[in-house]
Amino acid sequence: MLCDSAESISDGKLNIYGAGWSVVSSPTPPCSVVIKLEVPWTMRNVPLRLALDLVDADGRKLGGVTGENDGVNPVPTAVPGVPLDSSLVVPVPSFPLAPGRYAWQLEINTEVPDGGYLGFTVR
């Protein structure tokens, strides 16, 4: 989700502000990309490599960020067998883009998951 700003708080919860837009002008305003994952119980404590790339309408990567975590650790109240909530907020600074269609593409362990594209338009 694209939003003006957000913060990840306890237990995978998010506080999201100014969410739901998909059209911006250039230079783009500072914003955040919010990623909400449901991690299968069988993948708890398994390290994840995440990449968030900005791609143009032709799929060319224009930039991005990568990171790794030590896996999603179950909270004490987690129910065995139930997927674990995990969230990530990626702040994005203002930058110029030519008018057109773009997307943020998420990769988890080098694979793009279902719903791993977040499109937006620069007017």
Side-chain angles (χ1 to χ4, degrees):
M1 173 180 292
L2 290 170
C3 63
D4 294 341
S5 65
E7 63 180 332
S8 182
I9 57 175
S10 64
D11 297 339
K13 295 179 185 175
L14 296 159
N15 285 333
I16 301 171
Y17 309 96
W21 52 266
S22 62
V23 178
V24 295
S25 57
S26 186
T28 62
C31 64
S32 292
V33 176
V34 175
I35 301 167
K36 168 75 170 62
L37 300 173
E38 282 191 356
V39 178
W41 181 260
T42 56
M43 300 254 329
R44 69 190 182 282
N45 301 321
V46 174
L48 299 175
R49 185 175 192 292
L50 303 173
L52 184 65
D53 292 308
L54 179 64
V55 297
D56 66 13
D58 296 323
R60 287 185 299 248
K61 293 181 180 182
L62 305 176
V65 295
T66 61
E68 292 187 28
N69 71 8
D70 294 330
V72 177
N73 300 309
V75 294
T77 57
V79 178
V82 174
L84 303 168
D85 291 326
S86 181
S87 59
L88 177 66
V89 176
V90 180
V92 179
S94 175
F95 56 90
L97 284 174
R101 189 78 177 149
Y102 298 88
W104 288 102
Q105 174 184 291
L106 174 66
E107 291 183 4
I108 302 173
N109 296 337
T110 69
E111 294 184 17
V112 178
D114 288 342
Y117 291 92
L118 180 59
F120 67 99
T121 299
V122 175
R123 59 177 175 229

